[in-house]
Amino acid sequence: MSVTVLVGLGWGDEGKGRVIDFLAPAYHIIVRFNGGANAGHTVVVDGVTFRFHLLPSGMLYPEKTCVIAHGVVLDPARLVEELAEVRRTKPNLARLLISDRCHLVLPVHKQLDLLEEAFRGGGKLGTTGQGIGPVYEDKVSRKGIRICDLYSPLLLEKIELFLAEKNKILVDIYKEEPVNPRSLQQQLLTFAQFVQPFLVDTLLFLQERLNHGASILMEGAQGALLDHEIGTYPFVTSTSPMAGMVSLGAGIGPKQIDRIVGVVKAYATRVGTGPFPTELRNEIGEGMRQRGREFGTTTGRPRRCGWFDLPLIQYALSANSPDELVLTKLDVLSGLEHLQVCVGYHKSNLPIKGIPALAEELDQCIPVYQTMPGWREELSGIRRLTDLPKNAIQFIHFLESYLKVPIRSVSIGPQREEMLLV
Ligand code: GDP
Ligand code: IMO
Ligand code: MG
């Protein structure tokens, strides 16, 4: 397979990093194509935990090439920090290439992200505070500063124009101090030196490598329910986590995609605000949070937990057309006497069809559950799918039959060897 795209089908944190690390040996190149440092992808190797935010989760394989393509918004300070931190534990990393077309997340974007959240008050979105909304606004409204601008003789002029508007917003609306163009220029010139050895036109690089028979693994960030087109708007992110985003964010044509893998968690989680019909605000939800260590990889915030929501996942899935699914964190459900899976919604005692467009309406939907028997056994020592408890296998088959996409792998722990293949 030359191009495989892996995407999350929930509200993020499905275990994508872990699955990328598992699949990476079969590919030459691993690529991030969307999002920014709002992503937090965890990989655990021999008991050592690595958290990737901007770097692709294939970085731990020194013989691979990892690419940050132009669809990613890049925070210079975070990149420098992350590389240093990963290198401290593992000096020998993959070769890294970065697109010179990436938009830069500047300190003012992060400042505005926090100020806008505070401005929203009770209606806040619960963003990661990584400047994602503001930087994509600038990208789409054609005001952004890209890595290639750092080498332009017009850099200072571009910064001055950019800051003229930003400073007006900071000072007039938020009563904050303005940003000095020369000091931002200085910071950016320091970063320009650091990043220069990594820069290429990643679209051309990937297309050339494909022509020479290379295989590429595309690592989606976030999850389809956070997509601003089909997700739970406005409680979404500002980039697209969908498989189709590969074409825009990495320059791979839709016809060049050979395989799409969707990642789903055995239950639902969400970090930040927004509708969550199957949320469990009780000891079962708390148990999932503790057993599944459901705390944000980027922000440390406790993740909200709830039952698997088939209608929502089906909605997200249909727009990604995955060939197969990876089911993660099945081990977390061990010990529950009964499991519930949402198979539809009721509103005012009547069944509803589809997914309401309004977040507040989705929030009021009452899930209709299918109850299934749970299992007591811990799963982490199991190495063959057929050795799973009968009720766990029944649970997998139930999800599969509703979603009509084969579940080809089941993850029962964060470590490399804790993946069962069908
Ligand atoms: P991502 O954003 O989709 O890459 O997911 P995160 O890394 O933010 O969150 C997934 C968390 O679950 C991480 O702490 C992983 O180490 C952990 N994890 C992944 N797969 C499994 C699994 O099958 N079982 C358990 N118990 N933990 C897992
Ligand atoms: P990974 O790649 C989980 C959520 C935030 C918030 C909303 C908007 O680790 O799965 P943003 O900072 O993007 O403007 O926040 O999106 N969010 C994520 N939730 N996992 C992520 O990434 C997320 N990236 C953004 O919590 O609700
Ligand atoms: Mg995450």
Side-chain angles (χ1 to χ4, degrees):
M1 288 291 180
S2 42
V3 178
T4 295
V5 183
L6 181 134
V7 286
L9 297 180
W11 284 296
D13 303 329
E14 300 87 352
K16 298 175 295 294
R18 179 257 185 286
V19 182
I20 290 284
D21 171 75
F22 180 79
L23 297 177
Y27 295 85
H28 298 103
I29 306 170
I30 299 95
V31 184
R32 274 280 308 270
F33 58 89
N34 74 321
N38 51 348
H41 295 179
T42 315
V43 175
V44 185
V45 184
D46 299 330
V48 181
T49 301
F50 296 86
R51 292 184 183 87
F52 296 109
H53 301 282
L54 284 166
L55 297 174
S57 301
M59 283 302 285
L60 301 177
Y61 296 96
E63 70 284 10
K64 308 286 172 196
T65 299
C66 281
V67 172
I68 300 179
H70 54 256
V72 174
V73 289
L74 197 122
D75 178 338
R78 294 294 306 274
L79 178 75
V80 173
E81 256 171 45
E82 193 177 326
L83 257 176
E85 198 182 315
V86 180
R87 275 192 185 133
R88 254 198 302 279
T89 322
K90 188 158 187 324
N92 199 8
L93 295 174
R95 170 187 184 211
L96 178 65
L97 298 175
I98 301 174
S99 168
D100 59 355
R101 285 166 168 76
C102 286
H103 278 247
L104 289 169
V105 180
L106 302 173
V108 69
H109 289 126
K110 292 200 266 190
Q111 192 182 357
L112 285 171
D113 192 356
L114 300 178
L115 289 166
E116 284 170 16
E117 277 286 82
F119 187 78
R120 287 183 195 110
K124 73 178 170 135
L125 305 177
T127 73
T128 58
Q130 295 301 316
I132 301 300
V135 77
Y136 278 106
E137 271 174 42
D138 282 350
K139 177 173 181 168
V140 175
S141 58
R142 297 154 295 178
K143 296 173 194 154
I145 295 190
R146 298 186 296 165
I147 294 184
C148 50
D149 289 318
L150 303 182
Y151 310 95
S152 159
L154 302 178
L155 176 64
L156 184 60
E157 279 172 46
K158 292 186 188 206
I159 292 175
E160 282 170 342
L161 180 65
F162 170 81
L163 283 181
E165 189 199 28
K166 290 285 176 283
N167 280 340
K168 215 163 163 39
I169 296 171
L170 283 178
V171 175
D172 293 356
I173 300 181
Y174 293 112
K175 315 295 174 214
E176 294 284 323
E177 291 297 314
V179 180
N180 182 302
R182 293 233 174 234
S183 84
L184 179 58
Q185 182 198 25
Q186 234 14 73
Q187 286 170 37
L188 290 180
L189 289 176
T190 308
F191 177 66
Q193 278 192 347
F194 172 87
V195 80
Q196 195 160 29
F198 301 106
L199 299 183
V200 290
D201 181 330
T202 56
L203 180 151
L204 287 183
F205 171 79
L206 293 174
Q207 291 293 348
E208 268 169 31
R209 291 301 310 273
L210 273 178
N211 285 338
H212 287 90
S215 54
I216 304 181
L217 178 59
M218 296 286 177
E219 175 178 359
Q222 290 80 53
L225 295 177
L226 289 171
D227 180 65
H228 52 85
E229 304 286 354
I230 68 130
T232 49
Y233 192 90
F235 303 97
V236 292
T237 190
S238 299
T239 172
S240 176
M242 309 290 283
M245 178 62 192
V246 155
S247 297
L248 307 173
I252 296 290
K255 288 187 184 170
Q256 291 180 295
I257 301 172
D258 300 290
R259 176 185 174 208
I260 299 176
V261 179
V263 187
V264 289
K265 207 184 273 199
Y267 48 99
T269 63
R270 157 158 229 171
V271 59
T273 344
F276 187 169
T278 63
E279 183 171 10
L280 291 164
R281 292 198 190 95
N282 58 17
E283 70 284 3
I284 300 179
E286 187 53 37
M288 288 172 175
R289 185 174 306 122
Q290 296 306 331
R291 279 182 59 82
R293 300 205 187 137
E294 296 293 357
F295 297 90
T297 312
T298 299
T299 57
R301 290 177 293 179
R303 294 176 184 150
R304 299 154 67 195
C305 298
W307 296 120
F308 199 108
D309 189 328
L310 279 167
L312 269 183
I313 295 286
Q314 171 76 71
Y315 192 75
L317 181 151
S318 59
N320 281 284
S321 61
D323 298 288
E324 62 187 271
L325 299 176
V326 182
L327 180 69
T328 59
K329 305 194 88 158
L330 187 66
D331 55 303
V332 175
L333 297 181
S334 288
L336 290 169
E337 198 165 333
H338 296 288
L339 304 180
Q340 294 197 297
V341 179
C342 171
V343 291
Y345 301 124
H346 270 180
K347 222 185 131 209
S348 315
N349 282 328
L350 290 172
I352 66 157
K353 221 172 138 23
I355 307 292
L358 283 174
E360 53 272 34
E361 243 180 66
L362 178 59
D363 216 19
Q364 284 160 10
C365 285
I366 308 294
V368 178
Y369 286 115
Q370 165 88 35
T371 302
M372 308 183 67
W375 58 90
R376 295 205 168 282
E377 300 89 327
E378 291 295 337
L379 307 186
S380 49
I382 292 176
R383 292 293 170 267
R384 281 186 316 192
L385 198 91
T386 45
D387 293 339
L388 283 174
K390 161 175 115 312
N391 291 346
I393 293 177
Q394 192 191 335
F395 176 72
I396 297 169
H397 286 330
F398 182 74
L399 300 184
E400 226 174 12
S401 64
Y402 185 103
L403 297 172
K404 298 189 175 55
V405 180
I407 294 176
R408 291 255 164 81
S409 355
V410 178
S411 172
I412 49 158
Q415 308 259 7
R416 278 184 182 162
E417 59 280 9
E418 293 174 310
M419 182 75 91
L420 311 177
L421 302 180
V422 177

